[in-house]
Amino acid sequence: MIPTLPLGADGPVLPALGLGCMGMSEFYGETDDKRSLLVLRRAHELGVRMFDTADMYGNGHNEELLARFLSEGGRDSALVATKFGIRKAPGEYARTIDNSTEYIREACEASLQRLGVERIALYYVHRAETGRPIEDTMMALANLVQAGKIARIGLSEVSDDTLRRAHTVHPVAAVQSEYSLTTRDMEAEMLPACRELEIAFVAYSPLGRGLLSGAFDLDALSESDFRRNLPRFSSSTMEENLTRLDTLRVIADRREATPAQVALAWVLAKGVFAIPGTKQLSYLEQNVAAASLRLSPDDIARLDRAYAPGSFIGERYTAEGMKGVNA
Ligand SMILES: NC(=O)c1ccc[n+]([C@@H]2O[C@H](COP(=O)([O-])OP(=O)(O)OC[C@H]3O[C@@H](n4cnc5c(N)ncnc54)[C@H](OP(=O)(O)O)[C@@H]3O)[C@@H](O)[C@H]2O)c1
């Protein structure tokens, strides 16, 4: 059974394991809609309810893929979360961040159209725009809640100060940021803030973008794979990072699980949502099974110690990308 968590103070109670859909459209090499639809259907069959997308994943392609999945019927219980705020050209990483009121309205209408829904269940600010008060962004989003266009507001990669200010304007249902054994910055302030304010925390890239799978092969990535741009994934850095997986492997062997499953079980044990991304049925099934893997307090303590913050080297984004986080 997948453990459940509330999506914010008065949101629905949902299975804590969701599905990240980004790679089905862009960033991680080849995509195949037919195969992705099989993964989406199977995820729903296995009890996954939170499906994570964004308007910029494949420049709308990912939302359209989810619309196909939703339109098959019997999907009333699926909760699709999408995001706005990053404007970029197809296939380019260069981007601008736009949280203007006019753009929020425009982006929301476009996502509603592409998803084929009347209301977006969870609408995230993908990145907060530097220099624009979060209060103004929240006012624009609160107007969309009032108008029935979105049900709940989320924030991605914000600082805890921004979160607290935002929450005074309108309740924030969820914060989505990177969190895994490779990236534990959220533990210092964000996770306690979310607990205090009864805001759900959604861990993205809970497998460290594949690094924690124990089977990651940099050479096998396609030329266009976005991870090739990331300092943490540069060849010398990755070589060193891959030597750090021993504890994960030892615990995985003892539990008759894979390193990816133990990495996911560790995230879920922290009482947060996790949205691992995959395009493959076998990985999806392994990830759902990981939600039933209960690590012992001793396993968790060992993982906490072995992967103390900073254990993995290399920034998780380029210098440009890092400007958008903790905003
Ligand atoms: N808010 C944000 O700024 C933000 C940023 C990044 C991501 N996200 C969201 O978070 C989701 C998940 O993050 P992510 O996809 O970047 O990283 P992730 O879930 O940490 O890792 C995905 C990678 O791990 C592989 N994988 C998945 N399950 C596996 C398993 N059981 N065993 C071995 N390998 C496995 C996948 O392979 P295959 O591709 O071959 O299946 C893919 O290469 C995204 O889909 C997106 O919805 C949000």
Side-chain angles (χ1 to χ4, degrees):
M1 273 289 284
I2 307 178
T4 55
L5 287 172
L7 187 62
D10 47 19
V13 173
L14 292 171
L17 186 90
L19 177 63
C21 303
M22 179 180 82
M24 295 176 180
S25 295
E26 202 185 347
F27 295 106
Y28 295 166
E30 294 304 304
T31 64
D32 176 340
D33 288 358
K34 260 201 198 138
R35 222 171 63 165
S36 297
L37 281 166
L38 291 178
V39 173
L40 288 164
R41 285 180 201 129
R42 184 76 182 130
H44 192 262
E45 260 169 37
L46 292 174
V48 171
R49 290 295 176 264
M50 182 188 280
F51 294 84
D52 190 77
T53 181
D55 57 3
M56 57 91 83
Y57 298 163
N59 280 75
H61 174 270
N62 206 239
E63 289 183 330
E64 284 164 2
L65 185 71
L66 279 161
R68 284 172 67 185
F69 159 71
L70 292 176
S71 72
E72 292 173 343
R75 302 282 152 70
D76 292 349
S77 57
L79 183 143
V80 174
T82 192
K83 321 183 189 78
F84 77 92
I86 300 181
R87 306 180 78 156
K88 72 174 192 61
E92 300 278 318
Y93 182 58
R95 72 233 182 119
T96 55
I97 295 172
D98 191 345
N99 290 178
S100 63
T101 300
E102 194 183 311
Y103 179 66
I104 293 175
R105 265 197 239 113
E106 215 178 276
C108 180
E109 282 304 328
S111 286
L112 285 166
Q113 284 276 323
R114 280 191 295 264
L115 287 167
V117 297
E118 282 173 16
R119 194 163 68 145
I120 294 168
L122 173 58
Y123 200 39
Y124 287 105
V125 181
H126 207 158
R127 291 290 182 274
E129 186 183 334
T130 312
R132 186 179 295 277
I134 193 68
E135 289 80 359
D136 294 358
T137 306
M138 289 299 289
M139 280 302 293
L141 289 166
N143 287 336
L144 291 179
V145 174
Q146 197 88 50
K149 306 261 180 193
I150 66 175
R152 287 166 209 87
I153 302 173
L155 300 173
S156 176
E157 289 288 3
V158 292
S159 67
D160 69 307
D161 176 56
T162 300
L163 172 65
R164 286 176 189 281
R165 282 170 41 212
H167 199 60
T168 62
V169 179
H170 186 281
V172 174
V175 169
Q176 178 178 136
S177 290
E178 184 164 352
Y179 182 51
S180 74
L181 285 167
T182 67
T183 307
R184 294 179 58 189
D185 328 17
M186 293 299 129
E187 289 176 4
E189 280 157 352
M190 186 52 82
L191 294 187
C194 285
R195 271 194 293 272
E196 177 196 326
L197 302 172
E198 294 183 75
I199 295 170
F201 182 86
V202 179
Y204 83 68
S205 302
L207 299 172
R209 298 186 188 264
L211 165 54
L212 296 167
S213 70
F216 187 79
D217 180 2
L218 195 57
D219 295 330
L221 298 186
S222 75
E223 277 311 308
S224 64
D225 195 299
F226 158 79
R227 287 169 287 197
R228 288 186 178 276
N229 304 315
L230 305 178
R232 185 168 291 169
F233 284 74
S234 77
S235 51
S236 57
T237 308
M238 182 49 76
E239 208 173 298
E240 200 165 329
N241 281 333
L242 288 175
T243 65
R244 316 249 158 121
L245 301 179
D246 289 355
T247 306
L248 196 55
R249 284 205 176 91
V250 168
I251 294 176
D253 283 349
R254 240 197 9 233
R255 296 265 159 204
E256 296 183 342
T258 67
Q261 288 179 312
V262 171
L264 263 184
W266 177 88
V267 172
L268 292 171
K270 300 293 174 179
V272 302
F273 286 89
I275 47 165
T278 186
K279 301 181 274 190
Q280 310 202 38
L281 271 181
S282 59
Y283 286 169
L284 167 79
E285 288 175 353
Q286 289 169 28
N287 295 345
V288 172
S292 305
L293 180 65
R294 300 281 179 270
L295 298 175
S296 69
D298 184 53
D299 289 335
I300 293 169
R302 275 185 77 184
L303 290 163
D304 283 344
R305 274 195 310 274
Y307 302 108
S311 299
F312 290 91
I313 58 168
E315 291 280 24
R316 60 196 178 99
Y317 282 114
T318 61
E320 193 50 36
M322 288 305 286
K323 287 185 199 159
V325 304
N326 199 29

